[in-house]
Amino acid sequence: MRTSAIVAGVWAVLAVYVAAAEAQVALVVDGQPQAVVVLPAEPAELERQAADELVEHVRLISGATLPVVGADAVGRQLGIFLGGAADAALDAGTRAAGDNPSSFTARVTPRRIDVRGLADEGTLFGIYELLEQLGVRWYMPGDLGRVVPKTGTLRLKTQTTVQAPSFDLRVLQHLTVGDWPRRVRLGGAQRPTGSHGIPPFTGRSGQQIFDRHPEFFALIGDQRQFRQICASNPGAVALAVEAVRARVQPTAEKVYLGMGPNDGGGYCECDNCRRLDGGVFDPVYGEIAVTGRYIWFFNQVLAALDKDYPKLHLVWYVYARHMMPPPPSLKPDPRIVAVFAPITLDRIRGMDNPMSPDRHILRWIIDRWNQLELNESYYRGYYNNLACPQFPISQVDRIRRETPAFRQQGINVMRVEVIRQSWASNAISLYLATRMMWNVNTDADALLDEFYAKFYGPAREPMKQYHEALDAAFRDTPYFTGSSYVYFPIFTHQPRREQMRAMLADAQQRTTSGDEEQPYAERVRIARAGFDRMELFLDLIEARNQHDYRTAHEKMQAYYRLTDELVGYVLEGSGRNLQSLVHRDERSENQGSYFNRFFERAVSSGHQRTVETGELVAGLPDEWDFLLDPNGLGELGGWQRPGTLGGNWQRLKTTSRSWSDQGLHYYKGAAWYRTTAEIPERFRGRKVYLWFGGVDNVATVWVNGQLLGTSREPGEGLPGVPGSFRPFDVDATAALRFGPDESNTVTVRVVNDRLSELGTGGITAPVMFWSPR
């Protein structure tokens, strides 16, 4: 890694103002244009866009329309020369700051203004810089996110401003269309930033190869399977080399190709692949890392192509079971690009946060890969807690601290995932992220203060308190479970929830004085709507956990109504390019929504059993006796027996806390639960079922020592469930004892043998006895 060059060189925005601070140049005076916009004879698309953006925003600010002309029609007017029409001599100074297509120089003198990028994108970004100097901001997509001052006179300081981005490429994945990404200067030197799959072994071509050469694919057990490649097979290397030659003509220029394992498991178990892995243990997954085999494979591909593609770089994800560095015996070719994608390392907090020892592991991983002296490394992380239905979250502390740290560690590309991001909840984090990606030396405090003032106007104080309270809630707590489980300990029965609601109410009160306040009122309203949606979720979970499925179902319907309202609130775009307050995939009817995947099934199933077709017999508690069984001794030890049982069982919550939030971290293996229940006498002679709202991954169930079945095969003709977080029943009738003097021992063994979501495991939803009417 190029650490010394990074420290010594220019790796942040360079801005130089060379004229006296008092000197200014007028663009508009009293609503009358004083300048013209000058384009080259054949402007490129982004040069035309730069002119359009300047004209549009000057008109919004002042009411004046700047004419757009060619260089031969400027006359004695002040010309704003863009791109190819600007002074080409500016390029040398721009390149001194950074040789990136986003880099630009904006020179303002009393006689003319020149805005010129090293590429058309740089020219566009130069115009955005001048518009920002005039007070324009784009805090989120659409008109609601745009802040435009109102004045009849516009002046720019005389200056020569040179800017180059801190990172070569800046991407918020899934936020790449519409005007907003470019207005906040996302973009740069485009290239692949990783890949799930190795051509030609994927899709239809891969199936055809598998039919002819199954030996090129993973050996799992005693069968070759069409999942991953057998990376140690020289024939697979040869086909990968042929695929590169078919895609790219020989070239001495630098070229990037994404290449890597398919997402998910199914890695080859053959002796040769395992030998290449070198026995490197991954403590996060608790398994041997598979990094070595892929480094060997990439080394072979690059060596075979070296003569015709001397600057070919293979870009792959340092991710999942190939996150650990390779064994010392394997030296990676420096043209392998490591793309850090820490999906299993706390997606909420930063590397230096003491609340997150897990995230500190990422710093160690990056440092270890840096020791291998690769030419480049990228960050491909997450600015959302994956599988969460988009509730309020703040990652301000993480972004402001971690982004400069990544640059100091030599990372030169930021491509961060924001799947199903909510603009009702997280606009401030995303805006800060774009500014820090552009300039890691951004004064975050000043930027945030400006955001509160410009975006919320008269509500700036309570909204600042709200956002800071939200940031502290995630920054200063040790919880990091994926999906929405992290919201249980952070907000349930916590004073901060009531305090934050009061802050939002205060903000709403301050923005209801008149029509001129409507943009501020609407911005506060959508923040409140995001918070209300979270509260409905927490209320329905609390009712569910108390076995009040009628109330939980009513809260869920209210949650759906509000969610659909926010999904329908369009900020910008249409179709697949649409940006709404809540992502369209979270709409109520979409069974693939994160809410429906993790939480709807238990509420609907519980409601159907206790309200629609049956009644609650006995709700089992949140806390059970609990004991880990990493060696599988439980059944031999008779842990399923009824009555009192020794063995130092601990108390563990099931419905209100995840495994990781109770100190079990990423435990993989077997664990046992025990509790007791009393079954009222009136249910004697009736069918009684034991219902589980969900487990992660597979449960085996006993009542009073009698085996009833498993979540996958519950017996008695009942349907099993194929995966985690799904309700299931077992018939407990024959095993039960009835009446007030009888106690029933419920024992559950859960085997959590794979990562379903970060930090989950065991019993994940309520458990109850119920009886059909």
Side-chain angles (χ1 to χ4, degrees), residues 1-9 11 370-371 407-410:
M1 191 56 62
R2 311 152 317 282
T3 306
S4 60
I6 290 163
V7 173
W11 52 269
N370 279 348
Q371 293 173 15
R407 195 65 193 95
Q408 288 177 327
Q409 287 182 294

Side-chain angles (χ1 to χ4, degrees), residues 676-755:
T676 60
E678 181 182 298
I679 306 299
E681 179 67 33
R682 70 185 183 87
F683 290 100
R684 188 186 296 274
R686 292 174 57 175
K687 277 282 189 183
V688 178
Y689 295 96
L690 179 58
W691 173 88
F692 290 78
V695 299
D696 184 20
N697 301 118
V698 182
T700 305
V701 184
W702 294 262
V703 171
N704 295 325
Q706 181 176 328
L707 176 63
L708 301 186
T710 71
S711 54
R712 290 180 178 171
E713 297 180 357
E716 301 296 327
L718 295 168
V721 294
S724 301
F725 314 111
R726 297 169 181 263
F728 68 95
D729 298 280
V730 291
D731 188 345
T733 309
L736 290 174
R737 302 164 184 161
F738 298 86
D741 298 326
E742 296 288 353
S743 178
N744 294 272
T745 301
V746 179
T747 306
V748 184
R749 182 188 66 198
V750 180
V751 176
N752 181 23
D753 57 2
R754 65 181 184 274
L755 180 67

Side-chain angles (χ1 to χ4, degrees), residues 19 25 106-110 112-114 130 156-160:
V25 177
R107 185 177 64 191
V108 179
T109 72
R112 63 182 278 160
I113 297 173
D114 290 271
L130 295 184
L156 287 170
K157 293 179 181 178
T158 55
Q159 60 189 276
T160 299

Side-chain angles (χ1 to χ4, degrees), residues 568-722:
Y569 194 121
V570 177
L571 295 170
E572 182 179 80
S574 61
R576 299 302 297 178
N577 296 336
L578 180 143
Q579 289 293 331
S580 55
L581 289 179
V582 168
H583 196 279
R584 60 188 171 275
D585 286 347
E586 283 303 314
R587 63 193 184 278
S588 57
E589 71 270 17
N590 179 22
Q591 288 305 304
S593 78
Y594 289 140
F595 175 83
N596 288 337
R597 174 183 170 188
F598 286 95
F599 304 106
E600 176 274 334
R601 294 186 180 105
V603 174
S604 295
S605 177
H607 184 266
Q608 190 269 334
R609 283 156 176 75
T610 64
V611 177
E612 298 174 25
T613 63
E615 60 182 307
L616 178 69
V617 174
L620 300 190
D622 182 17
E623 282 195 347
W624 294 46
D625 290 334
F626 179 83
L627 194 60
L628 294 177
D629 185 18
N631 297 319
L633 298 176
E635 285 195 78
L636 294 177
W639 294 4
Q640 69 273 29
R641 288 174 292 170
T644 303
L645 193 66
N648 296 313
W649 293 68
Q650 308 295 313
R651 300 290 287 173
L652 197 82
K653 297 181 185 298
T654 55
T655 61
S656 64
R657 296 289 187 277
S658 69
W659 268 13
S660 66
D661 291 343
Q662 298 178 88
L664 290 178
H665 205 237
Y666 303 131
Y667 174 72
K668 292 292 177 282
W672 290 67
Y673 294 84
R674 288 170 60 91
T675 193
T676 60
E678 181 182 298
I679 306 299
E681 179 67 33
R682 70 185 183 87
F683 290 100
R684 188 186 296 274
R686 292 174 57 175
K687 277 282 189 183
V688 178
Y689 295 96
L690 179 58
W691 173 88
F692 290 78
V695 299
D696 184 20
N697 301 118
V698 182
T700 305
V701 184
W702 294 262
V703 171
N704 295 325
Q706 181 176 328
L707 176 63
L708 301 186
T710 71
S711 54
R712 290 180 178 171
E713 297 180 357
E716 301 296 327
L718 295 168
V721 294

Side-chain angles (χ1 to χ4, degrees), residues 14 22 30 54 68 80 178 205 216 243 331 368 374 409 471 508 537 544 546 551 553 576 646 690 704 711 755 762:
L14 173 66
E22 298 303 319
D30 295 332
L54 179 59
V68 180
I80 306 173
S205 65
F216 293 170
K331 173 71 172 175
R368 286 292 303 274
L374 305 180
Q409 287 182 294
D471 198 54
Q508 288 182 297
F537 169 75
R544 181 203 72 169
Q546 295 172 355
T551 299
H553 195 266
R576 299 302 297 178
L690 179 58
N704 295 325
S711 54
L755 180 67

